[in-house]
Amino acid sequence: QSALTQPPSASGSPGQSVTISCTGTSSDVGRYNYVSWYQQYPGKAPKLMIFEVSERPSGVPDRFLGSKSGNMASLTVSGLQAEDEADYYCGSYAGNNVFVFGGGTKLTVL
Amino acid sequence: EVQLVESGGGLVQPGGSLRLSCAASGFAFGEYWVQWIRQAPGKGLAWVARINSDGRTTIYADSVKGRFTISRDNAKNTLFLQMNSLRVEDTAIYFCSRDFRFGADYWGQGTLVTVSS
């Protein structure tokens, strides 16, 4: 049950695109297409942004794009807006009904 | 509207016990897996435990196995987390959430558990 690896920080200017990586292993990210991404503002509960690698829940802007290659998943936020500044966490199913999160990435909009 | 409301958090001494509750509404609670996820102050999210729809299958993170027990009462639309032998490192905000495609689509606002002498 090792945590997934995310960069601690990422940044971009308004209108630009930024990609956040999430590195796991062949036992979690690499094996299952159950990668999800969460946005969290300070003092608030996380919000589901992406599920099953690249699916967006209703209401999530299509500026948020999820993908996966091998043991690494990615979240790309295009057309950055000030409101995108938040912490982002990836999560993955790891088999045997176990779930694992990444350490989180603080996204700063410059 | 789907709602999850946690309660039961508070200050407890190391070695003590606490029982958290999560009241669910706005969806067919008894048809979903649900789970507890925690977040230590200033830290990231950590999955704690999951329970299947009828309560017969429970799974735990290694860090809480043998000390925490997840359970549910589908008649009362409520999820529980019994926490025993609490440690300082269990200090965190505890969120309940609804499982969705091995993720979490709805979250409560969280309840703070502080383990300190």
Side-chain angles (χ1 to χ4, degrees), chain A residues 26-43:
Chain A
S26 57
S27 297
D28 39 59
V29 173
R31 176 170 293 187
Y32 304 100
N33 287 325
Y34 290 120
V35 176
S36 47
W37 288 90
Y38 304 86
Q39 177 190 64
Q40 186 181 34
Y41 294 115

Side-chain angles (χ1 to χ4, degrees), chain B residues 32-60:
Chain B
Y32 286 84
W33 288 63
V34 282
Q35 57 202 336
W36 289 97
I37 294 164
R38 68 185 180 183
Q39 186 169 35
K43 302 296 184 182
L45 302 173
W47 172 78
V48 174
R50 296 176 78 223
I51 187 168
N52 77 326
S53 55
D54 65 12
R56 295 182 182 183
T57 300
T58 58
I59 309 95
Y60 300 91

Side-chain angles (χ1 to χ4, degrees), chain A residues 35 50-56 64-67:
Chain A
V35 176
I50 297 287
F51 66 96
E52 291 183 341
V53 177
S54 59
E55 299 296 314
R56 278 184 303 275
F64 291 83
L65 177 66
S67 62

Side-chain angles (χ1 to χ4, degrees), chain A residues 15-93:
Chain A
Q16 288 186 334
S17 293
V18 65
T19 297
I20 299 170
S21 62
C22 170
T23 303
T25 69
S26 57
S27 297
D28 39 59
V29 173
R31 176 170 293 187
Y32 304 100
N33 287 325
Y34 290 120
V35 176
S36 47
W37 288 90
Y38 304 86
Q39 177 190 64
Q40 186 181 34
Y41 294 115
K44 299 296 185 182
K47 173 187 176 183
L48 178 66
M49 303 299 284
I50 297 287
F51 66 96
E52 291 183 341
V53 177
S54 59
E55 299 296 314
R56 278 184 303 275
S58 174
V60 173
D62 58 7
R63 302 186 294 104
F64 291 83
L65 177 66
S67 62
K68 188 185 89 166
S69 177
N71 296 337
M72 188 172 78
S74 299
L75 174 70
T76 298
V77 185
S78 58
L80 270 176
Q81 299 181 4
E83 67 203 50
D84 298 332
E85 184 162 298
D87 293 326
Y88 291 84
Y89 294 90
C90 63
S92 176
Y93 181 63

